[in-house]
Amino acid sequence: MRAAPGEPALDGPTASGVLSGGGAASAASSTHAGAPAAAAHEYADPTTPVTSAHGTAVPAAAPAAAPSYAEVPVAAAAPFPDTARPTPAPYPDPSQPAVASYAYPSQPGPPPFGDSARPVPPPYAGGDQPVPPSQGAGGQHPSGAHTDPGRPPHGSQGPWQNYDPWAASGPLQQNGAAVDDVARRRRRRGRTLVVGALLIAVVAGGIGGAVGAYLERNGGVGAIELPQTSDGVTGRAPDSVAGIAASALPSVVTLHVSGDSAQGTGTGFVLDERGHILTNNHVVDPAGTGGDISVTFSGGETAEARIVGRDTGYDLAVVKVSGVSGLKPLPLGNSEEVQVGDPVVAIGAPFDLANTVTSGIISAKERPITAGGESGDVSDVSYVDALQTDAPINPGNSGGPLLDGKARVIGINSAIRSAGSGSESDGGQAGSIGLGFAIPINQGKRVAEELINTGKATHPVIGVTLDMDYSGDGARIGDRGDGNGSGVTSGGPADRAGMRSGDVITEVDGQRVHSGDELIVKVRAHRPGDRLELTLLRDGRERTVSLTLGSSGGD
């Protein structure tokens, strides 16, 4: 093909590109030797028909105005020999399988460009790109697809479509298919939102469960404030344990006794405003004749005390404090009126724990007990016709008051029965097992009065010497008494009543007696001068005698 005058020839593959399928040839560029490098943008002669791959003449496009360039000599391109021009193969090739369309059914294919059966042009030598098709005025590509009267409409092209890079088709995915339509994208977005909401709900539920478990284990967050209720009542009924304790505590004292070889702790209570205090003899016994006795009141005040009088047979003692004012004596009740089951309150200093209050009931009355005798003789044995209580009494409670429901003293706590021996030689003192014993206050009152008034107490006697080795039932009068005399004291109450040695006393005022100790306890429960009725056995025959109790000096 000849070049137009003044234009480079378009026959060579380096100078032009054949337009195939309506496509455009890229501008040829060349550099002439001995001239400055310049890009020459040239297009094929619009007046020259271009032969398509099928041999059908394609109508020439309207001529476009050639841009004006500086006059630069351009070397003529070598002609492309006609004999060397490759002949395009017919398209489609019958030997090749049909190519399926990759467009989505819901998406229209790219706009047609040229005949659907037009083959792809062969590669060009030198890697030059095809020249774009004829452009409109101003060098702009005309909108829409090129029209060809001999080509079928777009919709009838079938699956054989060529891709037009300038067509207004949708964006391509990696597989070359068009992007989903708006409805599909909305459905996909909706599914994504649902899955995201489910994930958020699962995570939130897990976090909430963890927080709930933590709060349940730890009781919440922050400082803990526990609920508290109050009825606003601070007073107590006078006959309640609290009311009794509040009334009696100011009159109860703790005694600390020390001597040359022993020391101990016990309890006492105030008898009068002059400072007399009643306690047990075994509490003050460590002081002897030169020891110290310190009295501590419930309010913490302390005072020194001295012994006024004491008696081992009754296990009672009276001490007195000086220089103390405002003392409050405890009222004394009547132990004869006490009934089994009556509520009682015990106050003391068990194991030196001052102002300890316990409560219980009267478990029994007239329980004969003996206490003491640790020295090995009978000189320190006390005989008590005691009140039994289950109110806890421990070492240190000795000498403290046993109170009735009106805060009146009905007994003096003196002894306990424990599971162990409780002796100090065993390494310690025994505790309460609910068997406590108290000296009836009627007996305590009489002995205390005698100790305060005379410094000693008197004991009621019947004038006999008992056989303590007798193992039968009852108390037997011994064959010999003091000084190898008769077992019946001459001129004494028993002698005057006609009693003899060998008689066995079985009852005192109708109450059964099983041993000599019980007989002593029953006799000492009375005052000197009281009249008793005794039942005895002599030569297998039972008889009853009456006598008036005599008196002996206490020790």
Side-chain angles (χ1 to χ4, degrees):
M1 183 180 294
R2 291 286 184 177
E7 295 180 353
L10 302 177
D11 295 333
T14 60
S16 66
V18 178
L19 300 179
S20 173
S26 63
S29 62
S30 64
T31 304
H32 298 276
H41 299 272
E42 299 293 342
Y43 294 90
D45 187 355
T47 62
T48 305
V50 180
T51 303
S52 66
H54 299 279
T56 303
V58 179
S68 178
Y69 296 96
E71 292 295 332
V72 179
V74 179
F80 189 90
D82 292 338
T83 58
R85 183 185 301 271
T87 302
Y91 191 81
D93 189 349
S95 64
Q96 300 295 328
V99 179
S101 173
Y102 291 95
Y104 282 105
S106 61
Q107 294 291 333
F113 191 84
D115 192 353
S116 61
R118 182 172 298 175
V120 178
Y124 290 89
D128 293 336
Q129 299 296 323
V131 177
S134 299
Q135 299 176 352
Q140 299 295 326
H141 194 282
S143 61
H146 292 277
T147 59
D148 189 347
R151 297 171 188 167
H154 296 170
S156 63
Q157 293 182 11
W160 304 104
Q161 297 181 6
N162 290 328
Y163 169 66
D164 184 2
W166 289 277
S169 62
L172 298 181
Q173 297 177 343
Q174 289 183 349
N175 60 0
V179 179
D180 293 342
D181 59 8
V182 175
R184 186 181 298 273
R185 289 197 299 271
R186 288 179 178 175
R187 289 194 298 271
R188 185 174 300 169
R189 186 181 300 112
R191 289 195 296 271
T192 303
L193 292 176
V194 171
V195 172
L198 291 176
L199 290 176
I200 292 174
V202 171
V203 173
I207 295 175
V211 172
Y214 173 83
L215 295 178
E216 182 178 359
R217 289 194 303 267
N218 298 277
V221 294
I224 296 176
E225 184 175 350
L226 301 177
Q228 187 178 24
T229 60
S230 175
D231 55 10
V233 178
T234 57
R236 295 294 182 268
D239 58 350
S240 66
V241 174
I244 295 170
S247 175
L249 276 171
S251 302
V252 180
V253 300
T254 301
L255 286 79
H256 295 91
V257 182
S258 61
D260 295 336
S261 59
Q263 60 184 9
T265 302
T267 308
F269 58 93
V270 177
L271 290 174
D272 55 31
E273 296 179 353
R274 292 185 291 179
H276 291 106
I277 295 172
L278 182 62
T279 186
N280 284 134
N281 176 69
H282 71 264
V283 171
V284 300
D285 186 65
T289 57
D292 297 326
I293 301 175
S294 175
V295 175
T296 303
F297 293 87
S298 62
E301 304 87 352
T302 60
E304 295 299 319
R306 64 178 179 84
I307 297 176
V308 174
R310 62 195 186 109
D311 186 90
T312 57
Y314 292 114
D315 192 23
L316 292 172
V318 174
V319 299
K320 183 178 181 181
V321 294
S322 302
V324 180
S325 60
L327 295 177
K328 178 184 177 182
L330 270 180
L332 305 181
N334 186 351
S335 55
E336 294 293 334
E337 297 176 354
V338 174
Q339 298 297 321
V340 174
D342 285 350
V344 291
V345 174
I347 301 178
F351 300 101
D352 204 16
L353 299 174
N355 304 325
T356 297
V357 178
T358 58
S359 64
I361 62 170
I362 294 295
S363 303
K365 294 177 59 177
E366 300 178 352
R367 184 75 74 188
I369 64 168
T370 59
E374 287 83 2
S375 62
D377 56 24
V378 296
S379 61
D380 61 345
V381 176
S382 59
Y383 300 90
V384 179
D385 197 23
L387 298 173
Q388 179 181 329
T389 179
D390 66 349
I393 297 174
N394 292 283
N397 275 100
S398 293
L402 185 68
L403 307 168
D404 64 7
K406 296 184 178 179
R408 299 175 301 189
V409 181
I410 58 173
I412 302 101
N413 300 319
S414 300
I416 62 173
R417 177 63 60 88
S418 61
S421 64
S423 63
E424 294 183 2
S425 61
D426 291 336
Q429 295 174 307
S432 171
I433 59 172
L435 296 174
F437 303 96
I439 300 171
I441 191 59
N442 289 8
Q443 184 179 22
K445 175 179 178 297
R446 178 182 67 83
V447 173
E449 291 172 345
E450 292 181 350
L451 293 176
I452 293 173
N453 296 327
T454 65
K456 61 180 182 179
T458 60
H459 300 164
V461 295
I462 60 174
V464 297
T465 301
L466 297 178
D467 181 6
M468 303 303 292
D469 295 329
Y470 179 70
S471 60
D473 189 34
R476 180 178 182 274
I477 301 174
D479 295 331
R480 294 186 178 275
D482 296 336
N484 293 324
S486 172
V488 178
T489 304
S490 179
D495 185 37
R496 292 193 298 268
M499 299 176 66
R500 301 177 184 177
S501 296
D503 289 346
V504 178
I505 303 172
T506 59
E507 293 181 4
V508 174
D509 287 341
Q511 294 182 345
R512 192 73 182 178
V513 174
H514 301 285
S515 66
D517 290 337
E518 288 190 18
L519 178 61
I520 297 173
V521 168
K522 295 300 183 181
V523 170
R524 290 194 176 181
H526 294 79
R527 294 172 178 265
D530 288 348
R531 191 166 186 85
L532 295 181
E533 186 175 275
L534 305 177
T535 301
L536 52 88
L537 287 175
R538 179 184 300 168
D539 299 330
R541 297 176 61 184
E542 186 177 278
R543 63 180 59 194
T544 302
V545 298
S546 296
L547 55 81
T548 300
L549 293 175
S551 175
S552 68
D555 52 356

